[in-house]
Amino acid sequence: MEGTFRKMDNDLDLSAVRAFRSVAREGSFSNASRVLRVPKSTISKRVRDLEDRLGVRLIERTTRQLRLTAEGEVLVARADRLLSEAEDIRRALSDSGSARAGICASRCRRSSGSW
C-alpha cells in the first residue's frame, strides 16, 4: 500500500497566495514587492512555486506586462476569502491560547527529598 500519509503536491502556501494576490492587485512584481516589503526575487519565486505546486500557469508574463490566466482569475477571486479565513483561524487560536494561559496555574512545593 503506497503512502497513506503522502504529502499532497498541491498544498497551498499562504505566503505564496499572498504574493500572487499582491502581484494581481498591483499589476507588477515590482509594485507587489514594495507593498509587501519583500524582495522582488522572493515574490517571483513564491508565485513560480505556487504555479508549480498547482500545476497551472497563473500569470502570463511578457517583458512589458503581465496578465492573469483563467486559472489566475479563479485564484485571485478566492484569495481574499482564503487569506481572511486563515487570519481568523490564527487569531482565534492565538486568543484561545492566551485565555488558557491565564486560567491554568499550579503550585508546587519544594521537596526536601532528592530526586
Side-chain angles (χ1 to χ4, degrees):
M1 184 171 161
E2 187 179 323
T4 306
F5 297 104
R6 273 186 328 171
K7 184 177 184 315
M8 291 180 60
D9 289 338
N10 62 353
D11 288 348
L12 290 177
D13 173 0
L14 295 179
S15 65
V17 173
R18 193 172 292 109
F20 165 74
R21 180 186 65 177
S22 186
V23 170
R25 281 183 175 172
E26 302 302 323
S28 76
F29 286 84
S30 297
N31 291 344
S33 169
R34 278 192 291 280
V35 167
L36 294 177
R37 296 182 178 157
V38 175
K40 182 178 157 185
S41 60
T42 301
I43 300 289
S44 181
K45 182 178 179 350
R46 286 180 182 165
V47 171
R48 193 171 43 252
D49 289 348
L50 181 61
E51 290 175 324
D52 289 346
R53 286 181 153 250
L54 294 174
V56 296
R57 186 73 116 161
L58 299 170
I59 299 173
E60 291 293 333
R61 301 157 178 88
T62 66
T63 55
R64 295 182 180 238
Q65 66 180 11
L66 59 85
R67 181 182 65 78
L68 296 182
T69 63
E71 294 82 2
E73 293 286 352
V74 168
L75 180 56
V76 81
R78 297 179 182 198
D80 286 336
R81 281 184 299 184
L82 173 68
L83 295 169
S84 177
E85 184 67 21
E87 179 58 25
D88 288 349
I89 291 168
R90 187 202 60 76
R91 196 175 306 111
L93 294 176
S94 176
D95 292 347
S96 170
S98 62
R100 271 187 272 137
I103 294 171
C104 181
S106 67
R107 292 186 176 170
C108 297
R109 290 185 181 203
R110 193 165 200 206
S111 171
S112 60
S114 63
W115 296 70

